[in-house]
Amino acid sequence: MMIRTVPRAAIKTSLRLARTPLDAASLLLPGNGAGARNAARLTIDRVDAAALRLAGQLTLDPGLIEDARRRHEALEDRKKAARLRTEAGRRESEGATRLEEQREQADRQKARAEKRAQERRQQASRERREREKQAADVERRRKESSQHAEAQREQQIAEEEPRERLAVLEAQAEAQQEREVALTEQDEARRLAGAASRAKEDRKED
């Protein structure tokens, strides 16, 4: 039992001393849980586990072989965890990229929607100004037509007024003439009546 224990300790110490500079060198590599540093640590651990297994096989030490197996399983677990972290990082990066693309697309859609809304507002403003201009033109033409009609009526009244005054004067002159004729007829009738009365008186005297 002691024969195997001593080589086992010596072998582990030798392997630990052999990997110490490699571990120190790996710390200078970039990365934290991934990248070159993690890849180097995995390689060191894989070589360490392989060397330990080889030593166990050469010395027929089942403890070294079992220790190598456990280290290999732990190494596989770490490699799997590293792959999962890498995949998670990749997915996170892709998700961030998709999110950024979606945000940019949403910004572009928002900008296009705002541009279309601005164009619709400008079109509505132009149409409103055109309607107001047309309404103003219609009102102006209506006023001009009304003023023209009023001017024509005033001109017609101005033209008709002398004729109406002339007609009134003519009617007044005609009425005056008729009154004068009537007065003349009345005078003649009174004269005839007086002459007849005198003739009658003369006959009575005879």
Side-chain angles (χ1 to χ4, degrees):
M1 183 68 179
M2 290 299 295
I3 295 176
R4 290 181 177 177
T5 302
V6 173
R8 182 187 303 172
I11 290 170
K12 288 185 176 181
T13 300
S14 298
L15 292 175
R16 186 165 57 252
L17 292 175
R19 67 172 293 169
T20 298
L22 299 176
D23 289 336
S26 68
L27 295 176
L28 301 177
L29 297 175
N32 185 15
R37 180 187 299 179
N38 186 68
R41 295 296 296 271
L42 290 175
T43 300
I44 294 170
D45 290 341
R46 183 168 59 252
V47 172
D48 186 57
L52 191 61
R53 183 175 64 252
L54 179 60
Q57 292 173 349
L58 292 176
T59 60
L60 300 178
D61 187 340
L64 291 177
I65 296 175
E66 178 63 22
D67 192 7
R69 186 189 65 79
R70 289 196 298 270
R71 291 189 183 189
H72 182 72
E73 290 180 352
L75 178 63
E76 291 299 320
D77 290 340
R78 288 172 57 198
K79 288 170 62 177
K80 182 179 180 180
R83 286 195 301 271
L84 293 175
R85 285 194 298 270
T86 301
E87 180 66 17
R90 183 183 65 80
R91 292 182 177 178
E92 182 179 0
S93 177
E94 291 177 352
T97 301
R98 286 194 299 271
L99 181 61
E100 183 63 22
E101 290 176 352
Q102 292 173 355
R103 184 180 296 111
E104 291 177 354
Q105 183 179 4
D107 291 340
R108 289 193 296 270
Q109 291 176 347
K110 180 180 179 181
R112 287 194 297 268
E114 290 178 350
K115 182 179 179 181
R116 288 194 299 269
Q118 179 67 18
E119 290 175 351
R120 287 195 296 269
R121 286 194 294 269
Q122 292 176 351
Q123 179 65 23
S125 179
R126 287 193 296 269
E127 292 176 353
R128 183 177 64 256
R129 290 195 298 269
E130 183 63 23
R131 289 194 300 269
E132 291 174 351
K133 180 178 179 298
Q134 291 177 354
D137 290 341
V138 170
E139 180 64 17
R140 177 179 55 78
R141 288 193 297 269
R142 186 192 65 79
K143 288 182 178 179
E144 290 178 352
S145 177
S146 177
Q147 291 173 355
H148 181 69
E150 182 66 23
Q152 285 184 333
R153 284 195 298 271
E154 291 178 356
Q155 183 179 359
Q156 183 178 3
I157 292 171
E159 291 176 353
E160 290 178 352
E161 185 176 0
R163 291 197 296 269
E164 292 178 353
R165 287 200 298 270
L166 180 59
V168 170
L169 293 175
E170 290 177 350
Q172 291 176 349
E174 184 178 356
Q176 181 65 28
Q177 186 177 2
E178 290 178 354
R179 284 197 297 272
E180 290 177 355
V181 170
L183 291 174
T184 301
E185 291 178 351
Q186 289 178 0
D187 291 341
E188 182 63 23
R190 283 196 295 271
R191 187 183 64 77
L192 292 175
S197 176
R198 285 193 299 272
K200 185 178 180 181
E201 289 294 332
D202 291 342
R203 282 195 299 271
K204 285 181 179 179
E205 293 177 357
D206 292 339

